[in-house]
Amino acid sequence: MSHLIYLGYYFKVSPLQPAVEILIAELGYAGFESFVETEDGVTAYIQKDEWRADILDDIQILNHKEFEISYTFEEIAQTNWNAEWEKNFNPIIVDDICAVRAPFHESFNTPYDIIIEPKMSFGTGHHETTHMMIQHILKNDIEGKSVLDMGCGTGVLAILAELKGAKPIDAIDYDNWCYLNSLENVERNNCKHITVIEGDASVLGNKKYDIIIANINRNILMQDMATYISCLNKSGVLFLSGFYADDIPMIQQECEKYLLKFEEKLERNNWVSLKFLN
């Protein structure tokens, strides 16, 4: 599978808040998937295949009289990703328990210390959805349980699951760039129980898991929900993220259609993560 091509939009925003937060939320709805806040605004990335000429027509804040927002955009060469992320990659610490850092950062001596090579794979821990999924894994007992990390990005969630004693673990992503980055990160963190697979939900077949983690956009979640649930063991746990608070009724209705029970919601900057029990 060939590498994905991205477009980068460079927004200058004045005043910065709350405009940047609103802008990121609206761009997320429109299909942008990665964001880096800058000193004068935000940089947003979208897959070229997802882009269309009128992509910004529905971004209402661009026409808001209280904010001055300008932008430029360009196609991003794959070779630029490393430099782009290294320039902006700051370590994060989740609940003082788990650190996600690059090899060039010092260790924070947290109970869980994950090293991610900062390539342009979704899932460095900086995005709200990854942050909340890390919180779910930290809070739940997953020792000795089989885990699926669907849409694994960098593999960070699968790596944390192994550090917490889960096994075996499958980490799956359809993007070749993410697949290769996950392989690299799994090796870098000395994980022994993670199998990284390139593909989408169609590769799952009849596999069964005690825990399924799916941090993917809403449309893919809805499309593949039946497959995930068919792969979930009795009394299994399903963690979902990659969508907004407004999307909860739709997601919850789909899960309850398969008799899953809603258990918990985490929310961060209007992004949400839900826990369901089988």
Side-chain angles (χ1 to χ4, degrees):
M1 192 183 294
S2 60
H3 288 168
L4 295 177
I5 297 173
Y6 281 80
L7 299 178
Y9 276 72
Y10 309 96
F11 292 92
K12 289 190 173 183
V13 182
S14 179
L16 285 173
Q17 293 300 345
V20 166
E21 188 174 317
I22 297 168
L23 179 60
I24 288 173
E26 292 192 358
L27 291 171
Y29 274 118
F32 286 79
E33 63 180 59
S34 299
F35 306 95
V36 177
E37 292 191 36
T38 60
E39 287 183 4
D40 55 4
V42 64
T43 301
Y45 298 101
I46 185 169
Q47 291 181 31
K48 190 173 182 181
D49 288 349
E50 300 287 323
W51 182 85
R52 60 185 192 281
D54 62 352
I55 192 82
L56 298 184
D57 285 3
D58 294 330
I59 310 301
Q60 297 177 11
I61 194 169
L62 294 180
N63 302 314
H64 204 292
K65 293 177 181 176
E66 289 183 25
F67 306 110
E68 194 174 315
I69 303 176
S70 60
Y71 67 90
T72 58
F73 72 96
E74 65 177 355
E75 187 171 307
I76 307 291
Q78 284 286 353
T79 51
N80 288 348
W81 285 133
N82 275 358
E84 194 68 30
W85 270 108
E86 288 204 17
K87 191 169 68 183
N88 295 293
F89 189 94
N90 295 311
I92 67 155
I93 300 178
V94 179
D95 299 341
D96 295 323
I97 302 172
C98 177
V100 182
R101 62 185 177 90
F104 47 82
H105 296 137
E106 293 293 321
S107 171
F108 290 90
N109 296 315
T110 48
Y112 302 103
D113 184 39
I114 299 175
I115 301 171
I116 296 296
E117 184 67 48
K119 294 195 167 106
M120 193 58 190
S121 297
F122 189 77
T124 57
H126 290 74
H127 194 274
E128 283 84 348
T129 58
T130 313
H131 193 283
M132 289 184 291
M133 286 299 219
I134 289 173
Q135 288 181 305
H136 275 309
I137 296 171
L138 291 173
K139 289 199 300 182
N140 286 268
D141 177 18
I142 63 174
E143 186 165 359
K145 295 184 177 177
S146 56
V147 173
L148 166 64
D149 179 6
M150 194 72 207
C152 59
T154 61
V156 63
L157 300 177
I159 292 165
L160 178 58
E162 172 157 334
L163 293 178
K164 284 208 72 191
K167 64 179 179 180
I169 301 161
D170 285 341
I172 299 178
D173 206 296
Y174 74 96
D175 177 22
N176 180 255
W177 192 254
C178 295
Y179 165 72
L180 294 173
N181 190 218
S182 290
L183 282 174
E184 181 180 0
N185 290 325
V186 163
E187 184 177 351
R188 184 179 292 278
N189 289 273
N190 300 311
C191 294
K192 309 297 183 195
H193 304 291
I194 299 173
T195 303
V196 183
I197 301 165
E198 184 175 356
D200 55 20
S202 65
V203 305
L204 290 170
N206 297 318
K207 290 190 173 186
K208 291 283 189 178
Y209 303 92
D210 299 317
I211 296 170
I212 295 179
I213 302 163
N215 184 15
I216 314 177
N217 74 58
R218 182 196 70 187
N219 293 340
I220 300 292
L221 285 178
M222 293 294 291
Q223 171 190 304
D224 294 337
M225 191 75 76
T227 303
Y228 303 150
I229 293 170
S230 72
C231 294
L232 192 62
N233 281 330
K234 191 172 181 183
S235 304
V237 183
L238 176 65
F239 295 108
L240 301 174
S241 197
F243 49 92
Y244 297 99
D246 292 347
D247 299 319
I248 291 175
M250 179 193 306
I251 299 286
Q252 190 165 346
Q253 183 179 3
E254 186 69 10
C255 288
E256 289 174 351
K257 186 168 89 178
Y258 296 97
L259 304 180
L260 265 62
K261 179 188 169 194
F262 172 71
E263 178 77 6
E264 186 183 9
K265 176 187 82 170
L266 299 179
E267 186 165 351
R268 191 176 173 88
N269 294 332
N270 201 40
W271 294 91
V272 291
S273 180
L274 305 180
K275 175 184 179 183
F276 290 91
L277 302 180
N278 195 10

